[in-house]
Amino acid sequence: MVAFGKKLKERQIQEWQGYYINYKLMKKKVRQYAQQIEVGTQDRRHVLKDFSRMLDNQIEKIVLFLLEQQGLLASRIAELNEQQEALQKQPVISQISQLREAYREVGQDLLKLLFFIEINAIGLRKILKKVDKRFGYRFTDYYVKTRANHPYSQLQQVFKHVGLGAVVGAVSRNLHELQEHQGSYLSIYDQPALPFQDPVVDSMKAAVDRLTHSTNFLNFLGQHALILQEELPTPDEPVDDQKYHFMSLILNLANTFLYMVNTYIIVPTADDYSMSLGAAATVCGIVIGSMAVAQVFSSVYFSAWSNKSYFRPLVFSSIVLFIGNAMYALAYDFNSIAVLILGRLFCGLGSARAVNRRYISDCVPLKIRMQASAGFVSASALGMACGPALAGLLQTNFKIYKLTFNQNTLPGWVMSLAWLIYLAWLWISFKEPSHVTEESSTAQESTPEPVENDVLEKGLKQPLLLSSEDKGVTEDGDGEFDGSDEASEEARVSATSIGSAYRLLTPSVKVQLLIYFMLKYAMEILLSESSVVTTYYFGWSTSSVAIFLACLGLTVLPVNIVVGSYISNMFEDRQILLASQIMVCVGILLSFHIISPYTVPQYVCSGLILFVSAEVLEGVNLALLSRVMSSRLARGTFNGGLLSTEAGTLARVVADGTITLVGYMGESKLLNITLLPSLVICIASIVATCFTYNSLY
């Protein structure tokens, strides 16, 4: 990636250059100190004390300038307030307009100050992370803990910014009052159904939200999507309204929802369908997994296709899914297991989740991108719950001409109809973004980068302790090039293949992808073999299996609310990561059939523990992954989102293949033997996490 120091210099406000953190000097000092400690010419405690003093001086410089600028803004607002009081006695429309513009100018200057703080906060966090890596000592812990609550700490001024909140409130309130005084003369911003929002107020609120960003349900959900965004703020970020079209976003979310319904609607009946065609019940593993096999390849070509268009890939996806579901339904009348599997392969070839992610990343304005990302995850979770529930409702049997409609074929017919309706809606309502042209294809390659949207996450201590902007492997080991411009230029180029993308992964990122593989494997084993296992041990009907799977799916959003709003505010992400892996392991262990008889409470409780823990693990793992992924994997065809998708899809393929292979040994051995790989991979991921624990921020 491009060196942070170079980015910082490019983003600096020229007249304030002397007041930014001297990142280049401090990075040089870190390198010197590390060399001195290595050769033994400098005592570690002396180095830490000296560097702490240097850091204190840098922060004090920032804070004093910040207070000076706050005072100037406060004085300007006070003068404008006096003018406003005079106008209240004798309103003059022209003077009110001038006063509004004056308040807006204050707002624009305040925006510059907010970006000034944010960039310095990011620089401070990067320096602390660099010290931890170079010195092999948790300097961040020491520095933050000794200064977090000290009465003379300047650090609090950078991360609490109470005074700035008051200035934002004053500008917003006065602009609102001036709008009301204008009545019907100047009402271009007046929206009767919504509260007043001046554009400058929107910008200020977006900047403050990013600056004071704390982990909550919305952001926790959004991170599930692994939609990478820009690292450093841009004071005057232009939002091209021609890129964003609300109905197009809804269509992308609808595509996500329908695809997840399509994935899970067959799970309760796949074993019955296989047996009705003369195959073993465990062939359901191949039937379910064939969709994932095709998705391994479709993710790549859809990701590449989205470089040039969003509309055409979505149309192609809808047509292929319509054909695939029709083939799935017709397999019963053809009495062909091959047609059944081929239909599911077609469904996998229509997976446009890469396009859905890319649309949100490229075309949704930054201020609502997190909401859109959360919508993406919510649509997936809802589809996962609705699929089995819908299958449970399709318990009927009749014929029209030579076509059979029963619990096995109806999922295919219903989804074919759904995709046909979606295709018509897509054709009528979707608007191709204006940026998808040959000229802007190059620009698109450099847009989304991993976001520093958690600059002040979790109050004062946690952002410095937990977060990381370091993306990628370099000579520094922290994602930043200290070498020549040529090296930086080379680092700007996105990965051109899966192999080159893999070579950009750090050990900690590889561990997180292993964790993602593990949790997807364990969840797929639980879900895909549920109908076979519950029928064998408990004699459950299709409706009972559907209710069980639907209940599991319905836990996703409540669990994320609890984790995103409460648990993640009390514990570090890496702590939650390790704890949730242990709970997944506990769920797997409890699922084994060791003591007879195997009871419904044991199966349901162990499955619930496994599924809920895996959901928590997925959210935290992807949140960490989005922060440490190389920025070269944030753009282009072979991006970080594609890698995580491929890891998860491959896990599903292996899991479904395992179910089918083990099925030949007999249904009595299916549960325990399929759980063994899950246990081994889970233990391996826990061990790997322990080895890389200190590098997870």
Side-chain angles (χ1 to χ4, degrees):
M1 61 177 287
V2 182
F4 176 81
K6 188 173 182 180
K7 282 188 175 182
L8 177 60
K9 187 175 181 181
E10 291 172 355
R11 300 290 177 89
Q12 285 179 357
I13 299 169
Q14 294 303 313
E15 58 267 28
W16 294 355
Q17 270 191 347
Y19 302 101
Y20 285 90
I21 186 172
N22 195 334
Y23 184 79
K24 185 176 181 180
L25 171 65
M26 300 193 74
K27 187 173 69 172
K28 183 178 179 181
K29 281 289 186 182
V30 170
R31 195 183 305 116
Q32 290 176 354
Y33 284 142
Q35 292 170 353
Q36 291 171 0
I37 291 174
E38 189 175 342
V39 299
T41 58
Q42 194 70 269
D43 179 68
R44 183 184 298 271
R45 286 177 297 179
H46 172 76
V47 167
L48 295 176
K49 182 180 178 181
D50 193 40
F51 193 78
S52 296
R53 186 186 301 114
M54 182 186 300
L55 203 54
D56 288 337
N57 291 336
Q58 289 288 319
I59 293 173
E60 186 174 274
K61 174 184 70 173
I62 296 167
V63 169
L64 292 177
F65 177 74
L66 174 63
L67 293 174
E68 178 188 349
Q69 292 299 313
Q70 281 184 227
L72 293 174
L73 290 173
S75 298
R76 289 169 61 185
I77 292 174
E79 292 176 3
L80 294 175
N81 286 347
E82 291 177 3
Q83 297 177 31
Q84 186 176 354
E85 287 179 8
L87 283 174
Q88 285 177 349
K89 298 175 183 178
Q90 293 182 337
V92 179
I93 297 301
S94 60
Q95 292 182 13
I96 290 176
S97 298
Q98 292 174 4
L99 192 57
R100 286 179 64 228
E101 290 303 319
Y103 274 116
R104 284 177 178 170
E105 289 178 7
V106 174
Q108 293 293 342
D109 290 340
L110 178 57
L111 270 177
K112 293 180 181 179
L113 198 57
L114 290 169
F115 286 116
F116 170 82
I117 300 171
E118 185 171 1
I119 289 177
N120 280 294
I122 294 172
L124 176 60
R125 291 169 55 192
K126 287 184 71 70
I127 282 294
L128 289 170
K129 176 71 182 294
K130 194 179 291 290
V131 173
D132 285 349
K133 286 194 172 184
R134 282 303 192 103
F135 292 179
Y137 173 78
R138 294 310 303 275
F139 176 75
T140 300
D141 286 349
Y142 157 75
Y143 189 81
V144 176
K145 287 176 181 176
T146 54
R147 286 153 177 79
N149 298 310
H150 196 281
Y152 303 135
S153 172
Q154 302 284 6
L155 195 61
Q156 296 192 54
Q157 294 291 335
V158 177
F159 289 98
K160 296 276 179 148
H161 57 276
V162 178
L164 282 175
V167 178
V168 171
V171 173
S172 303
R173 181 181 62 81
N174 284 290
L175 278 171
H176 180 62
E177 288 183 0
L178 286 171
Q179 176 69 19
E180 289 183 337
H181 280 132
Q182 286 182 245
S184 59
Y185 292 98
L186 294 173
S187 58
I188 57 173
Y189 300 111
D190 186 22
Q191 301 180 48
L194 298 171
F196 168 80
Q197 290 293 341
D198 192 283
V200 73
V201 174
D202 279 337
S203 299
M204 287 190 298
K205 286 184 177 179
V208 171
D209 287 344
R210 188 166 60 245
L211 196 58
T212 58
H213 176 77
S214 59
T215 300
N216 54 39
F217 170 54
L218 181 66
N219 294 294
F220 190 80
L221 272 186
Q223 288 166 330
H224 276 62
L226 199 63
I227 294 170
L228 308 179
Q229 304 177 42
E230 189 163 357
E231 178 184 21
L232 284 175
T234 306
D236 303 314
E237 179 184 351
V239 178
D240 186 358
D241 290 336
Q242 293 181 345
K243 285 185 181 181
Y244 174 60
H245 182 237
F246 176 74
M247 187 55 68
S248 299
L249 173 61
I250 295 299
L251 282 161
N252 272 279
L253 297 181
N255 184 280
T256 298
F257 169 76
L258 286 176
Y259 187 79
M260 292 304 290
V261 171
N262 210 148
T263 300
Y264 290 99
I265 193 172
I266 72 155
V267 173
T269 58
D271 57 335
D272 288 339
Y273 204 167
S274 300
M275 288 191 294
S276 69
L277 299 179
T282 51
V283 173
C284 69
I286 290 181
V287 175
I288 296 170
S290 55
M291 190 170 179
V293 171
Q295 191 178 342
V296 170
F297 303 100
S298 66
S299 296
V300 177
Y301 67 71
F302 272 118
S303 182
W305 202 350
S306 64
N307 288 329
K308 297 184 177 180
S309 174
Y310 297 103
F311 176 69
R312 289 191 290 274
L314 290 175
V315 169
F316 177 78
S317 166
S318 304
I319 294 172
V320 171
L321 281 159
F322 168 77
I323 295 171
N325 281 290
M327 291 176 68
Y328 181 85
L330 289 169
Y332 188 89
D333 294 307
F334 283 114
N335 193 31
S336 171
I337 192 73
V339 174
L340 184 73
I341 294 173
L342 195 59
R344 289 296 285 179
L345 282 170
F346 263 75
C347 289
L349 292 174
S351 172
R353 287 173 67 81
V355 179
N356 305 144
R357 276 196 180 102
R358 191 69 176 270
Y359 184 87
I360 294 173
S361 175
D362 290 356
C363 304
V364 176
L366 185 61
K367 63 182 179 181
I368 63 168
R369 196 172 297 160
M370 188 57 75
Q371 290 94 318
S373 300
F376 175 87
V377 176
S378 299
S380 299
L382 189 60
M384 185 178 181
C386 288
L390 187 58
L393 296 175
L394 302 176
Q395 302 299 303
T396 186
N397 192 350
F398 61 93
K399 272 197 169 189
I400 299 179
Y401 298 106
K402 294 183 179 181
L403 299 179
T404 303
F405 296 86
N406 57 26
Q407 66 173 13
N408 296 327
T409 63
L410 274 172
W413 292 123
V414 168
M415 292 313 302
S416 289
L417 179 62
W419 285 112
L420 194 61
I421 294 172
Y422 175 81
L423 179 60
W425 181 23
L426 180 73
W427 196 272
I428 295 169
S429 303
F430 192 87
K431 180 181 178 183
E432 183 76 275
S434 59
H435 81 302
V436 184
T437 62
E438 196 67 37
E439 178 184 359
S440 62
S441 181
T442 304
Q444 188 181 17
E445 288 288 304
S446 60
T447 44
E449 287 189 3
V451 71
E452 269 318 321
N453 62 353
D454 51 350
V455 173
L456 299 178
E457 186 170 355
K458 303 175 187 172
L460 173 62
K461 294 184 181 180
Q462 283 89 336
L464 298 174
L465 296 174
L466 304 184
S467 298
S468 167
E469 302 77 19
D470 305 325
K471 322 273 195 312
V473 186
T474 64
E475 61 184 82
D476 248 10
D478 64 356
E480 188 170 316
F481 284 82
D482 293 329
S484 63
D485 290 340
E486 288 79 4
S488 295
E489 202 60 47
E490 181 184 351
R492 291 191 185 102
V493 182
S494 57
T496 55
S497 66
I498 290 288
S500 63
Y502 182 80
R503 287 191 291 273
L504 291 173
L505 303 180
T506 62
S508 61
V509 172
K510 290 177 182 177
V511 169
Q512 286 171 278
L513 287 176
L514 171 64
I515 293 171
Y516 193 63
F517 179 92
M518 178 273 293
L519 69 91
K520 286 296 183 184
Y521 181 92
M523 290 173 70
E524 189 71 11
I525 288 290
L526 171 66
L527 299 174
S528 294
E529 71 179 15
S530 58
S531 58
V532 179
V533 169
T534 54
T535 300
Y536 178 78
Y537 285 105
F538 317 126
W540 280 9
S541 65
T542 299
S543 297
S544 299
V545 178
I547 292 171
F548 171 66
L549 294 177
C551 289
L552 287 181
L554 289 173
T555 63
V556 174
L557 291 181
V559 167
N560 282 321
I561 291 174
V562 173
V563 175
S565 299
Y566 302 104
I567 295 178
S568 59
N569 287 326
M570 295 186 287
F571 301 98
E572 297 182 11
D573 284 354
R574 55 185 177 170
Q575 292 174 329
I576 302 173
L577 184 80
L578 186 57
S580 54
Q581 284 182 83
I582 294 172
M583 289 307 299
V584 169
C585 190
V586 170
I588 294 171
L589 287 171
L590 291 176
S591 298
F592 279 94
H593 179 203
I594 299 174
I595 301 173
S596 294
Y598 194 61
T599 62
V600 172
Q602 179 185 350
Y603 178 76
V604 171
C605 292
S606 60
L608 191 62
I609 292 171
L610 170 58
F611 187 83
V612 168
S613 301
E615 274 299 320
V616 173
L617 180 59
E618 181 177 7
V620 177
N621 187 56
L622 290 182
L624 285 167
L625 196 59
S626 68
R627 294 205 292 264
V628 299
M629 187 76 76
S630 168
S631 64
R632 291 176 64 182
L633 296 174
R635 52 188 183 269
T637 300
F638 301 95
N639 52 60
L642 177 65
L643 283 182
S644 63
T645 299
E646 293 291 82
T649 305
L650 186 61
R652 291 171 52 204
V653 171
V654 175
D656 292 321
T658 302
I659 292 171
T660 300
L661 290 175
V662 175
Y664 289 108
M665 301 180 187
E667 293 183 13
S668 61
K669 298 179 180 179
L670 180 66
L671 180 65
N672 285 350
I673 296 180
T674 54
L675 285 174
L676 276 175
S678 299
L679 182 62
V680 172
I681 301 171
C682 186
I683 292 173
S685 71
I686 292 173
V687 172
T689 301
C690 291
F691 277 111
T692 60
Y693 186 78
N694 288 334
S695 64
L696 298 175
Y697 284 82

